[in-house]
Amino acid sequence: MAYRNGTYIAFHAGGTPDPTESDMKYYRLLQAWRVREDNQFEFVNSHEKTTGVRDSSKKETLRASLVYRLLRSKNMILIIGDHTRYDTDWVPFEIEYAVDVCGIPIIAAYPAYEFITAPAELHWLWPSALATRINNVTARVIHIPFKQLPLIAAVSQFHVNNLPPTPVTYYTLETYRAWGIAQ
């Protein structure tokens, strides 16, 4: 088995190369947080484990690259925006492979929310591949807002050897208060 130290990041790219028109902007923000010297946000980006693959690459080449990255990942950040549920191409494949083959936990990060204390209420945002695995209890998922402190906590806490206890795990309101996110 491959050495699994990476964090895989999945997001809906919307078929556009312009990051401002898709959830790619959140991926770029994660990268920016990671390289800042005054920041404690650290993770091994699984996407840097192979050379970049362009949209013009053959589907088989892209799939092989994604599989390689997923097999070397200890967890997955799934950015769930307003349009993620409509992705019918790579996001469903990434979720299916991460859960069904790799057995890695998903850190579901929602950019539009300040805190998450009732993840089941967000089911309408879930891509069908995620909803199916939550409903049949094969996925282990921590649901958090797309914010630095919850991301830092989730990436360091949940991995292939320490899964979230349920498909709808979340941090308490008290935890969000301690982070200064909730009142």
Side-chain angles (χ1 to χ4, degrees):
M1 182 53 105
Y3 185 63
R4 301 170 92 178
N5 67 337
T7 294
Y8 188 95
I9 302 158
F11 56 91
H12 177 61
T16 176
D18 183 353
T20 63
E21 295 179 8
S22 72
D23 289 341
M24 185 181 288
K25 62 184 167 265
Y26 302 114
Y27 173 70
R28 299 269 194 249
L29 184 55
L30 286 172
Q31 291 177 309
W33 287 343
R34 195 171 128 238
V35 298
R36 286 187 53 179
E37 290 182 20
D38 64 341
N39 202 334
Q40 59 184 7
F41 190 66
E42 296 178 8
F43 66 95
V44 175
N45 186 346
S46 290
H47 291 281
E48 295 170 356
K49 291 181 178 263
T50 59
T51 57
V53 181
R54 302 198 181 282
D55 288 341
S56 61
S57 297
K58 289 186 177 181
K59 200 166 189 166
E60 301 82 34
T61 304
L62 181 53
R63 184 184 187 286
S65 181
L66 298 179
V67 165
Y68 181 89
R69 294 168 183 171
L70 281 162
L71 287 171
R72 284 149 184 82
S73 298
K74 64 179 183 172
N75 53 28
M76 171 195 276
I77 295 174
L78 173 61
I79 300 168
I80 301 182
D82 292 335
H83 301 287
T84 310
R85 67 186 174 274
Y86 303 123
D87 194 307
T88 58
D89 199 8
W90 294 115
V91 169
F93 169 77
E94 292 164 318
I95 293 167
E96 292 165 9
Y97 203 87
V99 173
D100 300 349
V101 176
C102 301
I104 60 177
I106 295 177
I107 300 162
Y110 302 81
Y113 292 84
E114 292 298 310
F115 53 89
I116 311 286
T117 56
E121 292 177 7
L122 300 175
H123 68 91
W124 62 276
L125 287 169
W126 299 341
S128 62
L130 179 64
T132 298
R133 283 153 186 79
I134 287 174
N135 292 333
N136 70 17
V137 195
T138 56
R140 293 293 182 251
V141 187
I142 176 82
H143 300 263
I144 61 172
F146 186 87
K147 296 193 174 299
Q148 273 191 46
L149 292 177
L151 280 162
I152 290 168
V155 167
S156 65
Q157 181 179 6
F158 297 111
H159 47 80
V160 70
N161 295 317
N162 187 40
L163 301 172
T166 74
V168 288
T169 302
Y170 59 93
Y171 291 117
T172 64
L173 191 55
E174 291 75 27
T175 303
Y176 287 115
R177 287 184 181 128
W179 286 326
I181 295 173
Q183 298 291 337

CSV table of all heavy atoms in Angstrom, one decimal, residues 4-23:
chain,number,residue,atom,x,y,z
A,4,ARG,N,0.4,7.1,2.8
A,4,ARG,CA,-0.8,7.9,2.7
A,4,ARG,C,-0.6,9.1,3.7
A,4,ARG,O,-1.0,9.0,4.8
A,4,ARG,CB,-2.0,7.1,3.1
A,4,ARG,CG,-2.2,5.9,2.1
A,4,ARG,CD,-3.3,5.0,2.6
A,4,ARG,NE,-4.6,5.4,2.1
A,4,ARG,CZ,-5.7,4.8,2.3
A,4,ARG,NH1,-5.7,3.7,3.1
A,4,ARG,NH2,-6.8,5.2,1.7
A,5,ASN,N,-0.1,10.2,3.2
A,5,ASN,CA,0.1,11.3,4.0
A,5,ASN,C,-0.5,12.6,3.5
A,5,ASN,O,-0.5,13.7,4.1
A,5,ASN,CB,1.6,11.6,4.3
A,5,ASN,CG,2.3,12.0,3.0
A,5,ASN,OD1,1.9,11.7,1.9
A,5,ASN,ND2,3.4,12.7,3.2
A,6,GLY,N,-1.2,12.5,2.3
A,6,GLY,CA,-1.7,13.7,1.7
A,6,GLY,C,-3.2,14.0,2.0
A,6,GLY,O,-3.9,13.1,2.5
A,7,THR,N,-3.5,15.2,1.7
A,7,THR,CA,-4.9,15.6,1.8
A,7,THR,C,-5.4,15.9,0.4
A,7,THR,O,-4.8,16.7,-0.3
A,7,THR,CB,-5.1,16.9,2.7
A,7,THR,OG1,-4.8,16.5,4.0
A,7,THR,CG2,-6.5,17.4,2.6
A,8,TYR,N,-6.4,15.1,-0.1
A,8,TYR,CA,-6.9,15.3,-1.4
A,8,TYR,C,-8.0,16.3,-1.3
A,8,TYR,O,-8.8,16.3,-0.4
A,8,TYR,CB,-7.5,14.0,-1.9
A,8,TYR,CG,-7.9,13.9,-3.3
A,8,TYR,CD1,-7.1,13.5,-4.3
A,8,TYR,CD2,-9.2,14.4,-3.7
A,8,TYR,CE1,-7.4,13.5,-5.6
A,8,TYR,CE2,-9.6,14.4,-5.0
A,8,TYR,CZ,-8.7,13.9,-6.0
A,8,TYR,OH,-9.0,13.9,-7.3
A,9,ILE,N,-8.0,17.2,-2.3
A,9,ILE,CA,-9.0,18.3,-2.3
A,9,ILE,C,-9.9,18.1,-3.6
A,9,ILE,O,-9.4,18.1,-4.7
A,9,ILE,CB,-8.4,19.7,-2.3
A,9,ILE,CG1,-7.5,19.8,-1.1
A,9,ILE,CG2,-9.4,20.8,-2.3
A,9,ILE,CD1,-6.4,20.8,-1.1
A,10,ALA,N,-11.2,18.0,-3.4
A,10,ALA,CA,-12.2,17.9,-4.5
A,10,ALA,C,-13.1,19.1,-4.5
A,10,ALA,O,-13.5,19.5,-3.4
A,10,ALA,CB,-13.0,16.6,-4.3
A,11,PHE,N,-13.4,19.5,-5.6
A,11,PHE,CA,-14.3,20.7,-5.8
A,11,PHE,C,-14.9,20.7,-7.2
A,11,PHE,O,-14.3,20.1,-8.1
A,11,PHE,CB,-13.5,22.0,-5.6
A,11,PHE,CG,-12.3,22.2,-6.4
A,11,PHE,CD1,-12.4,22.8,-7.7
A,11,PHE,CD2,-11.1,21.7,-6.1
A,11,PHE,CE1,-11.3,22.9,-8.5
A,11,PHE,CE2,-9.9,21.8,-6.9
A,11,PHE,CZ,-10.1,22.4,-8.1
A,12,HIS,N,-16.0,21.4,-7.3
A,12,HIS,CA,-16.6,21.5,-8.6
A,12,HIS,C,-16.0,22.7,-9.4
A,12,HIS,O,-16.0,23.8,-9.0
A,12,HIS,CB,-18.1,21.8,-8.4
A,12,HIS,CG,-18.9,22.0,-9.7
A,12,HIS,ND1,-19.0,21.1,-10.7
A,12,HIS,CD2,-19.6,23.1,-10.2
A,12,HIS,CE1,-19.7,21.5,-11.7
A,12,HIS,NE2,-20.1,22.8,-11.4
A,13,ALA,N,-15.3,22.3,-10.5
A,13,ALA,CA,-14.6,23.3,-11.3
A,13,ALA,C,-15.6,24.0,-12.4
A,13,ALA,O,-15.2,25.0,-13.0
A,13,ALA,CB,-13.5,22.7,-12.1
A,14,GLY,N,-16.7,23.5,-12.5
A,14,GLY,CA,-17.7,24.1,-13.4
A,14,GLY,C,-17.3,24.2,-14.9
A,14,GLY,O,-17.9,24.9,-15.6
A,15,GLY,N,-16.4,23.4,-15.3
A,15,GLY,CA,-16.0,23.4,-16.7
A,15,GLY,C,-15.4,24.7,-17.2
A,15,GLY,O,-15.4,25.0,-18.4
A,16,THR,N,-14.9,25.5,-16.3
A,16,THR,CA,-14.3,26.8,-16.7
A,16,THR,C,-12.9,26.9,-16.2
A,16,THR,O,-12.6,26.4,-15.0
A,16,THR,CB,-15.1,27.9,-16.2
A,16,THR,OG1,-14.5,29.2,-16.5
A,16,THR,CG2,-15.3,27.9,-14.7
A,17,PRO,N,-12.0,27.4,-16.9
A,17,PRO,CA,-10.6,27.7,-16.4
A,17,PRO,C,-10.5,28.9,-15.5
A,17,PRO,O,-9.5,29.1,-14.9
A,17,PRO,CB,-9.8,27.9,-17.7
A,17,PRO,CG,-10.8,28.4,-18.7
A,17,PRO,CD,-12.1,27.8,-18.4
A,18,ASP,N,-11.6,29.7,-15.5
A,18,ASP,CA,-11.6,30.9,-14.6
A,18,ASP,C,-11.9,30.5,-13.2
A,18,ASP,O,-13.1,30.2,-12.9
A,18,ASP,CB,-12.6,31.9,-15.2
A,18,ASP,CG,-12.6,33.2,-14.4
A,18,ASP,OD1,-11.9,33.3,-13.4
A,18,ASP,OD2,-13.2,34.2,-14.9
A,19,PRO,N,-10.9,30.6,-12.3
A,19,PRO,CA,-11.2,30.2,-10.9
A,19,PRO,C,-12.3,31.0,-10.2
A,19,PRO,O,-12.9,30.6,-9.2
A,19,PRO,CB,-9.8,30.3,-10.2
A,19,PRO,CG,-9.0,31.2,-11.1
A,19,PRO,CD,-9.6,31.1,-12.4
A,20,THR,N,-12.5,32.3,-10.6
A,20,THR,CA,-13.5,33.1,-10.0
A,20,THR,C,-14.9,32.6,-10.3
A,20,THR,O,-15.9,33.0,-9.6
A,20,THR,CB,-13.3,34.6,-10.3
A,20,THR,OG1,-13.6,34.7,-11.7
A,20,THR,CG2,-12.0,35.1,-10.0
A,21,GLU,N,-15.1,31.8,-11.3
A,21,GLU,CA,-16.4,31.4,-11.7
A,21,GLU,C,-16.7,29.9,-11.2
A,21,GLU,O,-17.7,29.3,-11.7
A,21,GLU,CB,-16.5,31.4,-13.3
A,21,GLU,CG,-16.4,32.8,-13.8
A,21,GLU,CD,-16.5,32.8,-15.3
A,21,GLU,OE1,-16.8,31.7,-16.0
A,21,GLU,OE2,-16.3,33.9,-15.9
A,22,SER,N,-15.9,29.4,-10.4
A,22,SER,CA,-16.1,28.1,-9.9
A,22,SER,C,-15.6,27.9,-8.5
A,22,SER,O,-15.1,28.9,-7.9
A,22,SER,CB,-15.4,27.0,-10.8
A,22,SER,OG,-14.0,27.1,-10.6
A,23,ASP,N,-15.7,26.8,-7.9
A,23,ASP,CA,-15.2,26.5,-6.6
A,23,ASP,C,-13.7,26.4,-6.5
A,23,ASP,O,-13.1,26.2,-5.5
A,23,ASP,CB,-15.8,25.3,-6.0
A,23,ASP,CG,-17.3,25.5,-5.6
A,23,ASP,OD1,-17.7,26.7,-5.5
A,23,ASP,OD2,-18.0,24.5,-5.5
